[in-house]
Amino acid sequence: MGGNHPRRTPAAPGQADEPAGIEIVGLTKRYLTPKGETFTAIKDVTVSVEPGQFCSIVGPTGCGKSTTLAQVSGLERPSAGSVKVGSHIVDGITSGVSYMFQADALFPWKSVLNNVMMGPILLGTPKREATELAMDWLRRVGLAGFEDRYPHQLSGGMRKRVAMAAALINNPRILLMDEPFGALDVQTKAIMQNELLKLWEELRPSVLFITHDLDEAVALSDRVVIMTTSPGSVKDIFDIDLPRPRGNVQEIRHEKRFLDLQGQIWDSLKDEVTRAYARTAGAAA
Ligand SMILES: Nc1ncnc2c1ncn2[C@@H]1O[C@H](COP(=O)(O)OP(=O)(O)OP(=O)(O)O)[C@@H](O)[C@H]1O
């Protein structure tokens, strides 16, 4: 980090100040269908994310990416296997974890400022300090002057910036992101990817990032995990050795090493995507 350190809010109970890794071992999740049958969504998933590492998960639709994330967050309990965050087995809502989803999880009745300061307030930060911290974060994401707006008065990209400030303000050890930029236009998406990388490089939480966009996965990540068709398991893991800081994600896409990696990952993914498509097309016939 440079001289521009983020101000830290008090750590939540059990929250270490430094990043923690994520260790997923033999993770299996079975759901009960409405007909009372057992459906296996993910099977024997083993993935590790080193402390401060940026790891993406890519796989065909319905293969269990979000299910994997739900077990890491502690929102759901695994049917078998385990998830460790730092040295603790996840057995409930994990402290020090922030989320970003495709849909903006903002409170529509709260101003931008109040949305962003919610996190510190919930951790017990005094209101004046939480306000200052939120103002600082709004400046960092380029939204100084928009404090009093409401989410519906912002563009999609601006709402993402608010969501990003709200996710990062508590300086999380773990950031779970489920297609956070999936609904954005191409230009706004590239801007947000650059913003995310810049902030991640300052704070270095461990990131688990779900995307369907292979270019996005390669441009942002240290590691890309490919999942198989449902029930999802790990097919391949690619280490992305592109130098950091990555700079502009739109420019890096033209580099030879980027194109090599993207080609290798697509080779691994395409069979799974074809298989998933054939399955749904067959089911619809
Ligand atoms: N609570 C649940 N009850 C029953 N089945 C579920 C439940 N949650 C997820 N599933 C099923 O588990 C499978 C995996 O879903 P999941 O959302 O994890 O896939 P995904 O890879 O994230 O999909 P996509 O890429 O389309 O977002 C799907 O078939 C889904 O219908």
Side-chain angles (χ1 to χ4, degrees):
M1 270 190 252
N4 193 13
H5 282 252
R7 289 226 289 289
R8 286 168 187 263
T9 46
Q15 178 182 352
D17 218 15
E18 68 275 356
I22 305 169
E23 193 87 38
I24 302 172
V25 179
L27 190 65
T28 297
K29 180 66 183 178
R30 292 181 280 269
Y31 292 112
L32 213 53
T33 67
K35 286 184 183 165
E37 292 159 355
T38 301
F39 173 77
T40 305
I42 53 171
K43 197 174 167 197
D44 204 16
V45 170
T46 296
V47 172
S48 67
V49 183
E50 306 296 327
Q53 198 175 43
F54 199 121
C55 176
S56 287
I57 301 183
V58 180
T61 180
C63 74
K65 301 180 291 296
S66 300
T67 299
T68 305
L69 224 61
Q71 317 310 304
V72 176
S73 69
L75 289 170
E76 292 184 6
R77 295 292 176 88
S79 308
S82 63
V83 178
K84 236 188 205 177
V85 166
S87 55
H88 297 283
I89 296 270
V90 172
D91 61 357
I93 301 297
T94 317
S95 73
V97 178
S98 281
Y99 313 87
M100 250 183 101
F101 305 101
Q102 186 166 338
D104 307 312
L106 300 177
F107 298 105
W109 62 89
K110 282 185 184 285
S111 68
V112 163
L113 179 67
N114 283 325
N115 263 287
V116 175
M117 62 193 273
M118 272 290 281
I121 291 285
L122 289 174
L123 285 187
T125 307
K127 193 169 173 199
R128 178 198 286 243
E129 209 178 303
T131 306
E132 275 177 30
L133 195 60
M135 295 289 273
D136 187 36
W137 267 95
L138 286 170
R139 184 188 51 72
R140 290 163 68 116
V141 298
L143 285 178
F146 290 88
E147 299 81 9
D148 297 330
R149 299 271 189 110
Y150 286 83
H152 76 273
Q153 297 172 320
L154 302 176
S155 70
M158 289 160 99
R159 280 199 299 274
K160 278 292 161 212
R161 286 164 189 267
V162 179
M164 199 132 89
L168 292 173
I169 191 167
N170 279 342
N171 198 6
R173 298 181 300 161
I174 308 283
L175 186 56
L176 303 178
M177 308 185 89
D178 197 343
E179 296 189 64
F181 309 139
L184 297 177
D185 66 82
V186 175
Q187 289 83 11
T188 309
K189 189 175 185 179
I191 292 168
M192 292 312 300
Q193 289 166 344
N194 286 330
E195 293 284 312
L196 172 64
L197 273 189
K198 197 180 85 200
L199 294 169
W200 170 77
E201 267 152 17
E202 287 175 18
L203 301 175
R204 291 305 291 260
S206 311
V207 179
L208 208 46
F209 187 98
I210 290 178
T211 179
H212 283 280
D213 179 343
L214 221 53
D215 280 6
E216 179 173 59
V218 177
L220 300 182
S221 309
D222 298 307
R223 180 171 282 181
V224 176
V225 176
I226 308 294
M227 285 181 77
T228 65
T229 318
S230 175
S233 59
V234 175
K235 179 175 186 185
D236 272 319
I237 297 180
F238 292 86
D239 285 319
I240 308 298
D241 55 5
L242 297 167
R244 294 212 188 260
R246 295 273 160 92
N248 189 325
V249 294
Q250 267 171 322
E251 284 163 22
I252 201 177
R253 280 162 210 223
H254 304 294
E255 288 178 14
K256 185 179 177 310
R257 183 63 187 144
F258 181 98
L259 294 168
D260 286 349
L261 286 162
Q262 199 244 32
Q264 287 171 34
I265 296 174
W266 173 240
D267 276 345
S268 172
L269 180 63
K270 70 178 175 216
D271 294 343
E272 302 306 319
V273 173
T274 311
R275 205 168 294 156
Y277 178 73
R279 198 181 283 177
T280 47

